[in-house]
Amino acid sequence: MFAQGEKGYDCFIIDEGEVEVMDALEDGSVESFLNKGRGQIFGDGSMIFHRRRSATVKAKGKVRAWVVDDEVFVEKILYSSRIKALFDKYA
């Protein structure tokens, strides 16, 4: 799906299947530390904070996912009335 260190301008919401999240270690090996499945999101940290990907994510078999870019995220999520109400209440 993507490799650690790549630039990330979008996130993914898993509709079907499972992904494995892995971290590159100092010795050059890769360690799996998390699996994500249907309904879960990944890649959002890079998208929101405009940072490089902090982990590698690989599909475990067939995966279907929604891709949400940063523009759609800001327009549809950050500016939604529901989210605005939460910010107004708790911020």
Side-chain angles (χ1 to χ4, degrees):
M1 306 290 294
F2 56 76
Q4 188 171 347
E6 292 179 351
K7 290 183 180 179
Y9 302 103
D10 46 25
C11 67
F12 301 82
I13 303 169
I14 301 170
D15 185 44
E16 179 181 299
E18 190 175 44
V19 298
E20 182 177 18
V21 183
M22 297 172 284
D23 188 27
L25 303 177
E26 290 181 13
D27 66 3
S29 64
V30 178
E31 180 179 65
S32 174
F33 65 91
L34 184 65
N35 290 323
K36 290 193 170 209
R38 183 176 171 86
Q40 293 186 296
I41 189 169
F42 62 93
D44 47 318
S46 295
M47 180 192 68
I48 292 169
F49 300 110
H50 296 218
R51 295 184 183 153
R52 294 190 177 273
R53 302 289 189 189
S54 61
T56 294
V57 178
K58 290 189 176 182
K60 293 179 75 174
K62 181 181 175 182
V63 172
R64 183 172 60 192
W66 293 92
V67 180
V68 179
D69 67 27
D70 54 355
E71 291 179 21
V72 169
F73 180 81
V74 168
E75 179 184 321
K76 299 295 184 190
I77 297 176
L78 288 184
Y79 291 126
S80 75
S81 59
R82 187 171 172 191
I83 298 298
K84 183 179 181 323
L86 287 172
F87 275 110
D88 290 344
K89 183 176 181 179
Y90 296 108

